[in-house]
Amino acid sequence: KKRGSYHFMHLTSSSVEEQVDNFLDYIVYEEGDFPPVLDIEVTKQAESIGIDATKHKVLKWLELVENRLGIKPIIYTSANFKKDFLSSSDFDKYDFWIAHYKNTEPDFKGYKFWQFTDKGILHGNDIAVDVNIFTR
């Protein structure tokens, strides 16, 4: 059985360490599972603390989780958030899962997943779903 885990990061409500501890308290990770995903898209919080503090907190979360689990997390964010806050070379070693709801791909390289819509339809289901492309 394969699993995945996902953490929505807040930049101003609790410390990075508290968020990592909380995340790791609730997940089970085994070899072969999908890497943990850090969802970071809180633009107003990032603007309030600035680019450097945002970058520092995100990198700290990624490093702490990687050190504890032994696997590099994936970063889920919007194309604009990546461009505005996560465009430094410090993030080059991480895979990105980019939310970019356009008919054209994001205008930068280095992402592994492209979420191109949140309005996908599954046969027999009236609920809209996210649709992603794995880019290798």
Side-chain angles (χ1 to χ4, degrees):
K1 173 160 65 165
K2 304 294 182 198
R3 290 175 286 257
S5 56
Y6 175 93
H7 175 73
F8 187 91
M9 185 176 205
H10 291 269
L11 296 170
T12 58
S13 62
S14 58
S15 74
V16 173
E17 294 84 0
E18 288 171 319
Q19 291 185 60
V20 168
D21 288 344
N22 183 302
F23 175 68
L24 294 175
D25 283 348
Y26 284 94
I27 70 160
V28 173
Y29 180 79
E30 295 176 352
E31 188 174 334
D33 286 347
F34 194 74
V37 177
L38 175 63
D39 180 341
I40 180 69
E41 51 186 316
V42 287
T43 302
K44 288 189 187 304
Q45 291 178 21
E47 289 171 346
S48 75
I49 66 171
I51 293 171
D52 289 339
T54 298
K55 181 175 100 170
H56 173 76
K57 288 182 177 205
V58 170
L59 286 169
K60 188 172 187 178
W61 190 97
L62 295 165
E63 290 166 0
L64 288 170
V65 169
E66 182 177 0
N67 288 341
R68 299 259 298 270
L69 296 180
I71 187 162
K72 196 174 297 301
I74 295 171
I75 303 167
Y76 173 89
T77 193
S78 70
N80 286 336
F81 195 94
K82 181 185 185 324
K83 178 179 58 90
D84 294 343
F85 298 99
L86 308 177
S87 62
S88 79
S89 62
D90 296 310
F91 296 99
D92 288 352
K93 65 183 177 178
Y94 295 98
D95 289 334
F96 277 84
W97 184 349
I98 298 295
H100 182 68
Y101 301 158
K102 308 281 183 191
N103 289 331
T104 58
E105 293 185 50
D107 61 356
F108 52 85
K109 300 209 182 290
Y111 61 90
K112 294 292 182 195
F113 302 91
W114 169 28
Q115 185 175 93
F116 64 91
T117 186
D118 60 351
K119 300 194 182 346
I121 302 295
L122 295 176
H123 180 69
N125 187 349
D126 293 335
I127 299 172
V129 296
D130 297 341
V131 181
N132 301 275
I133 295 174
F134 176 59
T135 62
R136 290 194 180 243

